[in-house]
Amino acid sequence: MITFKRTRAGSELHMGALLRDALARQGLSVRVDRPWRSLPTEYLVAEVPDRPRVWITAHDCNGSTHYDTHQGALMGVTAVVTDEQNTRFVFYGLDNDTEARPVAQAEACAEAVAEFLGLPVPAPEGRCCLHCGRGIEWIEADGQGAWHDSSNWIACVDGESLHSPEPLCGWCEDTGLITLYDASTDGITGHQSCDSAPCAKRRKESAARLAQKHTDPFTDGTQEFGPQICAECHWGGFAPNGQHTLGRPEYMCTADGCGHTVAHADLTEGLTDGQSLTVVDGRLYVAEPYSGPPLPPF
């Protein structure tokens, strides 16, 4: 009888859960197996009807192979298939062209295996309410937002709870941090950033938004400049787009994927006496006389 070790939890930072979750997002279920009983190495096996099974493993820096290798020792992931033609790699993560980080290896391997097995590209998943299970979406207006269902309600049918989405990440519950525990005492020893695919994607998107977001208000000692924030995406700024309406410039949101355009006249309607629109370093601001304490000499 062959017995297998239990796949370690994702919080223990081994590759098994990372690979399993990445493959699941591609619509693949996997099992643990050995090619031969005499071989101690265990593999993740992915298969679909009428296609050869794919054997997936991870390689560590000591030359060992096992699908549940520790992420800190990972050199790369490989996926191999044997059919009537030959034995060949479906994915080879040990080359210099593939990013070596564990999450990138797992995601790239899962995509390659799914493509080989002929699975369709998974559609983006919707969000479900944590309380009632209904599909929900985030709707924002005037700088405030809430989760709405298809009936445009923000509360569950029982009226007791507001809609709240299920966590995207099962590792950190969307906190972005994984708690580290002492192996002997179970005491908390620290925290580290969650490296799961949803969290890594959100960090990348957040960094992109931060890079495009307007800076804080500033002053040059005579005027104070307040940023103009896009009313569509609520975080992008504005910059002249080179077009003019009635002799006045138009401005376009600087956020990728937004593209909201406004005319000069639309932005001047709410200005008070002493306020004016001005462009500084390619960004649009509302300028008004500075009334604060004198600035220190530089």
Side-chain angles (χ1 to χ4, degrees):
M1 178 180 178
I2 299 178
T3 58
F4 299 107
K5 297 178 181 177
R6 176 184 290 274
T7 301
R8 294 174 177 87
S11 59
E12 295 186 35
L13 303 181
H14 283 249
M15 288 301 297
L18 202 60
L19 285 166
R20 182 190 58 208
D21 293 347
L23 290 160
R25 282 190 289 273
Q26 298 293 328
L28 285 165
S29 59
V30 293
R31 57 185 173 85
V32 179
D33 204 348
R34 297 177 186 168
W36 302 279
R37 292 197 174 191
S38 59
L39 186 68
T41 302
E42 298 164 352
Y43 290 74
L44 284 181
V45 180
E47 56 186 334
V48 298
D50 302 321
R51 297 288 288 178
R53 64 189 60 170
V54 180
W55 298 79
I56 303 165
T57 192
H59 303 253
D60 66 21
C61 57
N62 298 314
S64 301
T65 59
H66 193 280
Y67 80 94
D68 207 16
T69 290
H70 194 281
Q71 295 179 22
L74 180 71
M75 295 296 291
V77 174
T78 58
V80 177
V81 63
T82 298
D83 56 18
E84 63 277 2
Q85 300 176 3
N86 54 24
T87 297
R88 60 193 183 278
F89 287 106
V90 171
F91 175 78
Y92 188 75
L94 295 171
D95 56 24
N96 294 328
D97 297 328
T98 305
E99 187 178 346
R101 294 174 62 248
V103 170
Q105 286 274 325
E107 295 295 331
C109 177
E111 291 174 4
V113 172
E115 181 180 0
F116 172 79
L117 294 176
L119 270 65
V121 177
E125 296 182 359
R127 303 299 296 273
C128 292
C129 178
L130 180 66
H131 308 295
C132 65
R134 299 192 70 180
I136 55 177
E137 65 173 332
W138 179 260
I139 299 177
E140 189 166 343
D142 299 327
Q144 297 181 339
W147 290 97
H148 293 68
D149 58 30
S150 58
S151 300
N152 208 31
W153 288 92
I154 63 172
C156 301
V157 291
D158 59 10
E160 296 182 359
S161 304
L162 294 176
H163 288 311
S164 180
E166 294 180 340
L168 287 172
C169 179
W171 293 13
C172 69
E173 299 295 314
D174 292 349
T175 64
L177 291 174
I178 290 180
T179 304
L180 304 179
Y181 297 91
D182 185 272
S184 301
T185 65
D186 285 336
I188 297 177
T189 60
H191 298 81
Q192 70 175 39
S193 297
C194 181
D195 211 21
S196 72
C199 286
K201 181 180 179 181
R202 283 199 298 276
R203 281 199 300 272
K204 183 177 180 180
E205 292 174 347
S206 177
R209 286 197 298 269
L210 185 62
Q212 297 174 44
K213 191 172 182 178
H214 260 313
T215 58
D216 292 332
F218 68 95
T219 180
D220 61 4
T222 60
Q223 287 185 302
E224 188 169 0
F225 301 88
Q228 279 286 83
I229 305 300
C230 176
E232 287 292 316
C233 68
H234 304 286
W235 56 266
F238 284 108
N241 65 358
Q243 304 296 318
H244 291 77
T245 301
L246 300 177
R248 292 285 193 169
E250 293 181 357
Y251 305 95
M252 178 178 288
C253 178
T254 56
D256 287 343
C258 181
H260 181 54
T261 301
V262 293
H264 184 90
D266 296 331
L267 295 174
T268 57
E269 289 182 355
L271 298 184
T272 60
D273 292 341
Q275 291 183 328
S276 63
L277 295 179
T278 185
V279 176
V280 180
D281 293 332
R283 292 294 181 91
L284 183 65
Y285 293 86
V286 174
E288 59 184 314
Y290 177 65
S291 57
L295 298 181
F298 294 101

